[in-house]
Amino acid sequence: MKLITMTNVSLDGVMQGLGSVDEDRRGGFERGGWIAPLFDEEAGAALGQIYARADAFLFGRWTYEVFAGSWGAVKAIPRGNPVALALNTRPKYVASNTLRDPKWANTTVLSGDIATAILDLKAKPGGELQVHGGTTFIRWLLDNDLVDEINLFTYPLILGQGRRLFPETGPDKALELVESRSTVGGVIIQAYRLAGRPQYRTATMESTETKK
């Protein structure tokens, strides 16, 4: 399986507290619930298509608890809701050395050597192992070279505070653009394939003059 990350971010890279005002106030975040006014029908359809492709889901502990408390609490899966259908019928894995008794059905806890456990998961037959949300967890996956593809939904606003997808300093990654389009409402949908390390070249006076 390919490990695919899927993240909703503001133009300045913030992914915190998108669902509701009180979803995630860590660090004094006060601007939660920002996605709803911008999440148009086209973005919803694209997100549903991504969820429908998933063969399994992988979470960090914090995001797992958020999803389990919302999507996992759905009593009856709404007809025509691909997100609820995928999350409640496909295998879920949570990386945690502290979670002992997950309540959400069809959940397996990965503990101990989590990087090796994820590599074993990726070696299983299937298409996509999807990771939705989780700032710290996605950064850890990138640090350990476990990500195959990054999906981003970028929304037209600057939040000016909050936890960002990428840290100020971290590993450098070359990316290959696989898909890029925008919705009528201004949501930019992009998919990038990881492509090793970037190439760097120092500019010289000679090269600059040649370009002129």
Side-chain angles (χ1 to χ4, degrees):
M1 291 189 287
K2 294 190 303 181
L3 194 152
I4 309 294
T5 66
M6 169 58 221
T7 314
N8 296 285
V9 295
S10 64
L11 189 60
D12 54 339
V14 176
M15 58 183 293
Q16 184 173 359
L18 55 89
S20 66
V21 174
D22 295 319
E23 178 183 305
D24 183 0
R25 289 187 175 271
R26 289 178 294 176
F29 185 64
E30 299 176 339
R31 298 171 185 175
W34 51 268
I35 198 175
L38 302 168
F39 191 71
D40 57 32
E41 184 175 336
E42 192 175 351
L47 186 63
Q49 290 168 2
I50 291 173
Y51 270 93
R53 298 198 313 251
D55 289 277
F57 296 97
L58 174 64
F59 298 96
R61 170 70 185 268
W62 195 89
T63 306
Y64 174 79
E65 297 287 6
V66 172
F67 273 59
S70 54
W71 294 108
V74 174
K75 300 300 182 184
I77 300 174
R79 292 185 63 184
N81 189 321
V83 177
L85 178 63
L87 286 171
N88 284 290
T89 60
R90 290 167 197 169
K92 292 167 285 292
Y93 299 88
V94 52
S96 175
N97 285 312
T98 56
L99 183 62
R100 297 287 179 261
D101 185 23
K103 305 300 182 185
W104 200 359
N106 209 8
T107 295
T108 300
V109 177
L110 306 179
S111 58
D113 186 348
I114 292 173
T116 298
I118 293 173
L119 285 172
D120 290 342
L121 265 183
K122 292 179 64 177
K124 291 179 179 295
E128 295 187 7
L129 175 62
Q130 293 186 3
V131 178
H132 290 259
T135 316
T136 302
F137 188 46
I138 289 178
R139 290 179 181 180
W140 180 86
L141 291 168
L142 286 167
D143 287 347
N144 286 273
D145 295 319
L146 293 168
V147 178
D148 297 299
E149 187 174 298
I150 294 171
N151 283 256
L152 292 177
F153 280 40
T154 304
Y155 294 80
L157 83 163
I158 296 171
L159 282 170
Q161 66 168 220
R163 297 168 67 90
R164 288 168 170 78
L165 175 57
F166 302 112
E168 291 187 10
T169 58
D172 51 349
K173 306 285 185 182
L175 302 174
E176 177 186 349
L177 183 63
V178 177
E179 177 188 1
S180 182
R181 59 191 172 98
S182 60
T183 71
V184 173
V187 181
I188 301 171
I189 301 170
Q190 296 164 305
Y192 294 95
R193 186 178 296 120
L194 273 290
R197 290 283 307 282
Q199 299 296 313
Y200 300 100
R201 181 176 299 164
T202 303
T204 64
M205 288 298 294
E206 182 179 346
S207 64
T208 304
E209 290 172 0
T210 302
K211 290 180 180 180
K212 291 180 181 178

